Amino acid sequence: MDGRMGLRRGDDPDLAVAADYTIDQGWDSYTDQDHAVWRTLFRRQAALLPGRAVPGFVAGLADLDFGDGGIPDFRRLNETLSRRTGWQVVAVPGLVPDAVFFDHLANRRFPAGRFIRRPDELDYLEEPDVFHDVFGHVPLLMDPVFADYMQAYGRGGLRALGLGVLHNLARLYWYTVEFGLMETAEGLRIYGAGIVSSHAEVLFSLDSPSPNRLGFDLMRLLRTDYRIDDFQETYFAIDGFETLLALADLDFAPLYARLPGLPDFAPGDVLPGDRVLHRGDGGYHAAKRKAG
Ligand code: HBI
Ligand code: FE
């Protein structure tokens, strides 16, 4: 626990939390150490991602012009972002309830943690911090097609909540927005925020022989469990953001209706119908299971 835990969790008596869970970013109260952590992470990822992330991510990052100024001030960031796609970043204390999260997305507001991890936890996160949320998610919100998908996901999330199938839709978010890969003419590229914000997972997701890399298949993915505690055992690759945006016009209700009769798949499964880009040897997770 660190001294700012209260600020993280939203139970600090001085912290005014609105009904929609937004708070002031309080940019002036970041310490030099906070900004130094951002710079360390930023330099490391910005150097790694050209040629590994999708071109739209690299371009969005460049256009946001974060420079070396440390943690971005949301007021400035929002001028650039809202001019481009009508999205805004709002600060929240940490994880917010699903309905609140989706309502923000449905209204083109991205909830971002305001706190930043400590220098001794650079590669470890329990809750999304400002580096994951802003560096990882915001560059693609500069892309008009991806920006529309995120809004559609918010609307879909609200519907899924009402139908009691949120855990299925959450898998779609996980395997696309957080851990998605894309097949491009130049090879596999990353667009998932959970990957682009993690130095080790950038290398693991693209280069390791361990994980499966499979073609995107909506129904398959709605049925596939995921890991939140470690690198993914399977990554799914889309052809382009149009694949995601096409989901926005799709009625999920018939798919949801079929789900109760169908078994779930484990994170590492490879199935007969899968389009296999790379069949993982599973070595990484097998070694962990043996050790643990
Ligand atoms: N809250 N701040 C924050 N960030 C998230 O990514 C988030 C959340 N609440 C709920 C949630 N994600 C997930 O349950 C959905 O994406 C499924
Ligand atoms: Fe995220």
Side-chain angles (χ1 to χ4, degrees):
M1 294 275 258
D2 87 303
R4 292 169 308 162
M5 217 53 179
L7 199 49
R8 287 184 187 196
R9 307 277 178 193
D11 56 9
D12 184 322
D14 294 333
L15 189 71
V17 183
D20 65 359
Y21 282 75
T22 57
I23 55 174
D24 194 83
Q25 184 192 9
W27 191 82
D28 295 326
S29 61
Y30 287 123
T31 65
D32 290 346
Q33 178 182 295
D34 291 335
H35 288 301
V37 168
W38 171 281
R39 283 193 197 94
T40 301
L41 293 166
F42 181 87
R43 286 178 196 153
R44 195 167 69 155
Q45 293 311 93
L48 186 66
L49 289 173
R52 293 190 170 93
V54 293
F57 180 91
V58 178
L61 187 62
D63 290 348
L64 285 163
D65 199 17
F66 288 146
D68 227 6
I71 300 170
D73 185 329
F74 293 177
R75 291 167 295 197
R76 235 203 95 224
L77 159 64
N78 281 334
E79 286 175 24
T80 311
L81 180 61
S82 63
R83 211 181 308 125
R84 180 72 66 92
T85 58
W87 273 80
Q88 270 187 286
V89 173
V90 292
V92 291
L95 286 173
V96 300
D98 294 325
V100 174
F101 183 67
F102 298 135
D103 190 64
H104 281 301
L105 298 186
N107 289 285
R108 290 175 104 84
R109 290 187 301 265
F110 190 80
R114 74 160 302 280
F115 76 96
I116 192 153
R117 66 198 80 178
R118 295 189 316 254
D120 63 326
E121 52 179 15
L122 285 189
D123 298 305
Y124 173 77
L125 265 193
E126 276 177 31
E127 267 191 302
D129 72 346
V130 66
F131 185 76
H132 167 79
D133 279 334
V134 171
F135 182 93
H137 285 282
V138 177
L140 281 180
L141 292 175
M142 296 277 283
D143 179 293
V145 177
F146 192 84
D148 284 354
Y149 171 64
M150 284 290 277
Q151 179 176 25
Y153 180 83
R155 291 174 176 152
L158 292 171
R159 282 193 298 271
L161 259 181
L163 295 168
V165 289
L166 183 64
H167 65 288
N168 298 104
L169 192 73
R171 292 166 175 172
L172 175 63
Y173 190 83
W174 191 263
Y175 283 119
T176 60
V177 175
E178 295 292 354
F179 292 97
L181 298 180
M182 188 189 292
E183 289 184 273
T184 76
E186 285 75 42
L188 272 186
R189 294 290 185 270
I190 301 159
Y191 71 91
I195 309 179
V196 292
S197 59
S198 159
H199 190 270
E201 194 149 2
V202 166
L203 301 175
F204 181 82
S205 65
L206 290 182
D207 300 337
S208 169
S210 187
N212 304 310
R213 300 182 186 90
L214 308 177
F216 178 88
D217 173 342
L218 176 61
M219 193 62 189
R220 196 293 190 201
L221 208 139
L222 293 175
R223 297 171 59 191
T224 308
D225 255 328
Y226 56 82
R227 321 184 53 113
I228 57 166
D229 57 331
D230 204 339
F231 298 146
Q232 300 306 302
E233 292 184 53
T234 299
Y235 298 91
F236 291 94
I238 57 173
D239 297 328
F241 289 141
E242 289 73 17
T243 303
L244 296 184
L245 193 57
L247 304 177
D249 298 319
L250 191 77
D251 181 8
F252 277 52
L255 302 182
Y256 292 151
R258 281 166 54 206
L259 284 170
L262 300 169
D264 281 347
F265 304 122
D269 286 354
V270 176
L271 308 171
D274 286 334
R275 196 162 61 84
V276 180
L277 308 175
H278 169 81
R279 165 118 209 184
D281 65 20
Y284 172 84
H285 292 95
K288 278 223 155 167
R289 274 190 281 269
K290 209 167 150 200

